[in-house]
């Protein structure tokens, strides 16, 4: 897995913890806001209910005064005043800015119809006693409509009141949930960090074990043959003596190299790629071509790991082109910087040759442990060791090859951020 992706995965628990804390804080801060909204809803509800009660009270007074006038034959002087107050309260209720939150379309129609009836029928009839019965019938109809309207406002206000309290309780529960979630994430972070440390340690042990086994296999075999010749009681073959001596030197070199990597003062010592390219140019003379722009030459890579990896890949490529015997044989080392989401900033290294190449079956086994196409005479990693070391560094390793057409080995190495202290110091 890409090092940048793993870094993001490491950050996820901390991000979750931060979100949980922010959620809890936001919940508590929003509690006051919800209480204010509840108070506003209650005030609006009380206003609507008070207007409705005023309308019902005026209607009752008007009907009573009108019946008294019809019974006594005397016109009650406050009748016109009560009708005026009734009309005022109905218009005031209709003009409330928030009335549409409390009334349904049918209630609006009843209220508008009642206001229109008072203007066009009730008020003109007040001056004529002969029209009292017709006026009473109109008022009875208005009274029924207003009872329905008032009942709707009362029921809806109760609903809004309960909803406001439920929202406040739900917000309190969200705050409690946020705190509980924060506690769970804290424990999860601890467990996750322990798991990361264990996985990293296991990966390093596996990588170095596989690397050491691959690099020492052929040398141990040479020493075993020499030891067997000694047991036969015969003078050892000079070639076996030379092979055993060379194997011992190579094993010592391998051991020193691995110890240098495993017990260095820092996990990796980052150097500019340019310094490694200079060393490779001296080791291999003019046999390889470099296609590396300036920005890639300044990229920081782990040393001495990258020197070992690139040296092995170049040696493999040189042997492949030598065996092919092509007049236009070439070995090219390319490098470039890549910026692509979600991998971030990466260094892409590629060693290309036009040698023998590999068949599909050989390419599939090229990075398997203990698989080799040759018994080389140099102290090398082999493709298995290269792949394992690149993986240990957090990169990716890819081989593309076709039999008779050459091989391309590509390394994708995640680079540190430009503002990291190590990079500034190296620059």
């Amino acid at each position: 897995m890409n090092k940048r992706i793993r870094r993001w995965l490491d950050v996820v628990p901390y991000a979750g913890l931060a979100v949980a804390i922010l959620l809890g804080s936001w919940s508590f801060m929003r509690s006051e806001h919800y209480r204010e909204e509840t108070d506003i809803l209650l005030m609006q509800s009380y206003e609507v209910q008070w207007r409705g009660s005023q309308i019902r009270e005026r209607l009752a007074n008007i009907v009573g005064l009108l019946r008294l006038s019809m019974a006594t034959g005397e016109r009650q002087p406050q009748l016109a005043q009560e009708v005026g107050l009734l009309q005022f309260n109905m218009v005031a209720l209709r003009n409330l800015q928030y009335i549409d939150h409390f009334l349904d379309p049918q209630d609006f129609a009843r209220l508008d119809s009642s206001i229109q009836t008072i203007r066009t029928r009730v008020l003109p009839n007040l001056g004529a006693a002969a029209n009292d019965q017709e006026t009473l019938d109109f008022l009875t109809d208005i009274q029924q409509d207003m009872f329905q309207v008032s009942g709707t406002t009362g029921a809806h206000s109760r609903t809004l009141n309960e909803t406001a309290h439920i929202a406040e309780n739900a917000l309190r529960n969200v705050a409690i949930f946020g705190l509980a979630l924060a506690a769970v994430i804290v424990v999860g972070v601890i467990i996750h960090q322990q798991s990361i440390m264990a996985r990293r340690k296991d990966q390093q042990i596996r990588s170095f074990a596989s690397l050491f086994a691959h690099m020492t296999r052929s040398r141990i075999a040479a020493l075993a043959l020499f030891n067997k010749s000694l047991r036969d009681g015969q003078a050892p073959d000079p070639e076996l003596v030379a092979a055993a001596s060379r194997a011992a030197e190579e094993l010592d070199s391998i051991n020193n190299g691995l110890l240098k990597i495993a017990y260095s003062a820092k996990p990796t010592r980052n150097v500019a790629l340019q310094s490694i390219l200079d060393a490779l140019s001296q080791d291999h003379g003019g046999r390889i071509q470099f296609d590396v722009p300036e920005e890639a030459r300044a990229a920081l890579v782990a040393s001495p790991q990258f020197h070992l990896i690139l040296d092995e890949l170049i040696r493999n490529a040189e042997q492949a082109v030598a065996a092919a015997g092509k007049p236009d044989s070439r070995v090219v080392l390319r490098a470039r910087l890549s910026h692509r989401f979600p991998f971030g900033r990466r260094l892409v290294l590629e060693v290309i040759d036009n040698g023998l190449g590999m068949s599909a079956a050989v390419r599939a086994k090229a990075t398997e442990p203990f698989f080799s196409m040759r018994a080389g005479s140099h102290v090398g990693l082999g493709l298995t060791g290269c792949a394992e070391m690149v993986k240990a560094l957090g990169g990716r390793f890819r081989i593309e090859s076709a039999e008779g057409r050459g091989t391309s080995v590509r390394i994708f190495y995640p680079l540190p951020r430009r503002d990291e202290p190590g990079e500034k110091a190296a620059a």
Side-chain angles (χ1 to χ4, degrees):
M1 185 182 294
N2 184 273
K3 186 176 181 181
R4 179 59 63 86
I5 295 178
R6 289 204 307 269
R7 183 182 299 173
W8 277 109
L9 291 178
D10 294 347
V11 172
V12 166
Y14 296 101
L17 177 61
V19 170
I21 295 175
L22 290 175
L23 178 63
S25 303
W26 177 84
S27 300
F28 282 113
M29 289 188 294
R30 292 287 293 177
S31 297
E32 183 63 27
H33 174 73
Y34 273 86
R35 282 193 292 270
E36 292 176 359
E37 287 190 345
T38 301
D39 293 338
I40 292 174
L41 287 173
L42 290 175
M43 292 175 59
Q44 292 175 351
S45 175
Y46 292 150
E47 173 71 11
V48 171
Q49 291 184 62
W50 183 80
R51 290 293 179 187
S53 64
Q54 287 294 307
I55 291 172
R56 293 194 301 272
E57 181 180 348
R58 299 304 172 192
L59 279 170
N61 291 340
I62 293 171
V63 170
L65 291 173
L66 193 58
R67 290 184 183 278
L68 181 61
S69 297
M70 293 172 62
T72 61
E74 296 180 2
R75 178 63 62 191
Q76 301 299 320
Q78 64 267 39
L79 184 60
Q81 180 181 0
E82 289 292 330
V83 173
L85 290 174
L86 172 64
Q87 182 182 18
F88 171 81
N89 281 286
M90 293 177 71
V91 172
L93 177 64
R94 180 64 179 83
N95 291 335
L96 289 176
Q97 294 181 352
Y98 44 83
I99 192 62
D100 55 340
H101 297 301
F102 294 84
L103 296 184
D104 297 326
Q106 297 85 349
D107 297 320
F108 277 118
R110 293 188 184 98
L111 184 58
D112 291 337
S113 176
S114 298
I115 293 173
Q116 184 67 19
T117 300
I118 291 174
R119 287 176 179 173
T120 60
R121 298 298 180 90
V122 175
L123 287 174
N125 288 346
L126 289 180
N131 297 329
D132 285 347
Q133 184 59 49
E134 182 182 19
T135 303
L136 183 62
D137 293 337
F138 288 141
L139 290 173
T140 302
D141 293 337
I142 292 173
Q143 199 171 28
Q144 292 179 353
D145 289 340
M146 289 301 98
F147 272 107
Q148 291 184 2
V149 171
S150 299
T152 301
T153 58
H156 198 66
S157 65
R158 287 194 299 271
T159 301
L160 290 174
N161 190 17
E162 292 175 2
T163 303
H165 285 294
I166 291 173
E168 187 175 358
N169 293 333
L171 188 64
R172 188 178 297 111
N173 291 335
V174 169
I176 296 173
F177 172 77
L179 293 177
L181 181 62
V184 171
I185 293 178
V186 168
V187 177
V189 167
I190 297 174
I191 296 174
H192 181 69
Q193 290 302 316
Q194 291 177 343
S195 175
I196 289 175
M197 293 177 63
R199 287 200 306 269
R200 286 178 177 172
K201 183 177 180 180
D202 181 67
Q203 182 183 15
Q204 291 176 354
I205 293 174
R206 289 175 180 272
S207 297
F208 279 106
S210 175
L211 182 63
F212 186 81
H214 180 81
M215 294 174 65
T216 58
R217 179 190 57 175
S218 61
R219 284 83 187 177
I220 293 174
L223 291 175
L225 288 175
F226 177 72
N227 186 44
K228 182 179 178 181
S229 69
L230 292 179
R231 289 199 303 267
D232 293 338
Q234 299 178 359
D237 188 330
E239 292 185 1
L240 288 178
V241 174
S245 177
R246 185 169 59 252
E249 293 176 358
E250 291 175 353
L251 285 173
D252 183 63
S253 178
I254 291 170
N255 186 64
N256 290 335
L258 293 180
L259 287 176
K260 184 177 180 182
I261 294 173
Y263 297 103
S264 58
K266 297 181 181 179
T268 57
R269 184 172 61 89
N270 290 339
V271 300
L273 179 62
Q274 177 66 57
S275 63
I276 295 178
L277 297 181
D278 292 340
L280 292 174
S281 180
Q282 292 178 3
D283 294 341
H284 298 274
R287 299 189 300 272
I288 58 175
Q289 304 173 21
F290 293 95
D291 182 10
V292 184
E294 289 298 325
E295 60 174 0
R297 292 175 182 268
L300 298 181
V301 295
S303 176
Q305 290 93 323
F306 260 88
H307 185 276
L308 294 173
I309 293 169
L310 294 177
D311 181 71
E312 175 65 13
L313 296 180
I314 291 173
R315 288 181 184 274
N316 287 344
E318 287 177 338
Q319 186 186 41
V321 296
K326 296 181 178 179
D328 60 340
S329 61
R330 68 180 185 279
V331 177
V332 181
L333 193 156
R334 290 178 180 169
R336 61 182 175 84
L337 295 184
S338 172
H339 304 264
R340 191 175 67 175
F341 182 84
F343 302 107
R345 186 165 161 259
R346 300 186 302 173
L347 176 65
V348 181
L349 290 161
E350 188 175 10
V351 177
I352 308 168
D353 68 72
N354 61 344
L356 291 176
M358 293 181 279
S359 64
V362 173
R363 186 174 67 251
K365 296 181 180 180
T367 57
E368 291 183 0
F370 310 115
F371 177 82
S372 177
M373 296 177 62
R374 60 178 173 85
S377 60
H378 70 280
V379 181
L381 300 177
L383 290 178
T384 301
C386 290
E388 290 297 326
M389 187 171 287
V390 169
K391 186 186 299 183
L393 293 173
R396 291 192 300 122
F397 191 84
R398 181 186 300 172
I399 299 175
E400 297 177 0
S401 184
E403 196 168 6
R405 298 178 57 184
T407 302
S408 168
V409 180
R410 193 174 300 170
I411 297 170
F412 301 88
Y413 177 66
L415 294 174
R417 295 192 301 272
R418 296 181 184 275
D419 56 347
E420 287 187 355
E423 185 162 354
K424 286 183 179 180

